[in-house]
Amino acid sequence: LQHMPLAIYFAVYVLMVSIALMNLVTAVIVDNAIKQADEDREAQKAWEMSKRAALIPRLEQLFGCLDPYDTGFVTLSDLESAPKPLLEAINDLLDTSDCMLLLEQLDYTEAGGIAIGDLCEGVLKITDEKNLEMKRISKQCTELIRRTAGLEDFVATGMPAAPRARAGSVAERR
């Protein structure tokens, strides 16, 4: 009985050390699980990117069929006059029900059409994690900044600045 305080101290010490070791083992297991989940997420992203990149030639071919005059642009009227099987093929490939809505969303300049390359790129970005509306707002903000710079030039010099071409604008088709 004279060593009873030491026995209690030793028992508490053994319990504390075993709990600390269990915490360390648990931390290592959880850390490894988190790293593995991150690697899986990155691998999934890479796989999805390669899958989407493989769609580009097929998308360009289908959208090229919508371009009757070989201008490199697809317009809403091209989509409206497209054969139903072609629209169904596009909808199936894009996993959407309305490619008209898709074109309207991607045509941020509201020019009524979009370059086939930009359309393919936009379709691939839609499947990204970001929201399509946010991308459209971002492009519109970029366009507003470009126009504002032109207004600043005009106010500063009294002369209109040389027009800057927009990527995918209708003016480029002509």
Side-chain angles (χ1 to χ4, degrees):
L1 287 171
Q2 93 187 45
H3 297 293
M4 186 57 102
L6 287 176
I8 292 173
Y9 175 77
F10 182 71
V12 169
Y13 178 78
V14 168
L15 286 172
M16 295 298 279
V17 167
S18 64
I19 289 173
L21 286 175
M22 283 190 295
N23 280 341
L24 281 172
V25 169
T26 302
V28 167
I29 291 171
V30 168
D31 186 52
N32 286 338
I34 289 172
K35 286 179 184 175
Q36 185 65 40
D38 287 341
E39 289 172 7
D40 289 349
R41 217 174 286 119
E42 288 174 16
Q44 179 73 19
K45 257 187 184 178
W47 180 78
E48 287 175 1
M49 289 294 288
S50 67
K51 182 180 169 188
R52 286 194 304 256
L55 287 177
I56 291 177
R58 179 75 176 133
L59 285 173
E60 287 176 343
Q61 177 190 17
L62 289 172
F63 289 134
C65 292
L66 289 174
D67 184 16
Y69 303 112
D70 201 28
T71 60
F73 283 81
V74 175
T75 64
L76 288 173
S77 63
D78 292 339
L79 276 175
E80 290 168 352
S81 63
K84 189 171 183 167
L86 180 60
L87 288 177
E88 288 173 358
I90 293 172
N91 287 337
D92 288 344
L93 188 63
L94 300 179
D95 196 26
T96 184
S97 59
D98 188 7
C99 56
M100 293 278 269
L101 179 63
L102 181 69
L103 182 68
E104 289 173 358
Q105 290 294 313
L106 291 173
D107 182 22
Y108 72 94
T109 60
E110 296 181 357
I114 187 168
I116 291 176
D118 293 341
L119 185 57
C120 292
E121 180 184 326
V123 165
L124 293 181
K125 285 183 179 179
I126 286 173
T127 57
D128 255 352
E129 298 164 0
K130 292 183 181 178
N131 187 347
L132 176 63
E133 274 301 309
M134 290 305 293
K135 288 178 194 258
R136 182 174 176 160
I137 289 170
S138 173
K139 284 189 174 190
Q140 287 174 334
C141 288
T142 302
E143 180 69 12
L144 285 173
I145 289 170
R146 186 191 66 76
R147 288 183 182 185
T148 302
L151 285 174
E152 288 173 352
D153 292 344
F154 179 74
V155 169
T157 63
M159 300 285 291
R164 300 176 200 159
R166 281 193 305 246
S169 70
V170 175
E172 289 179 355
R173 279 196 285 175
R174 296 178 189 155

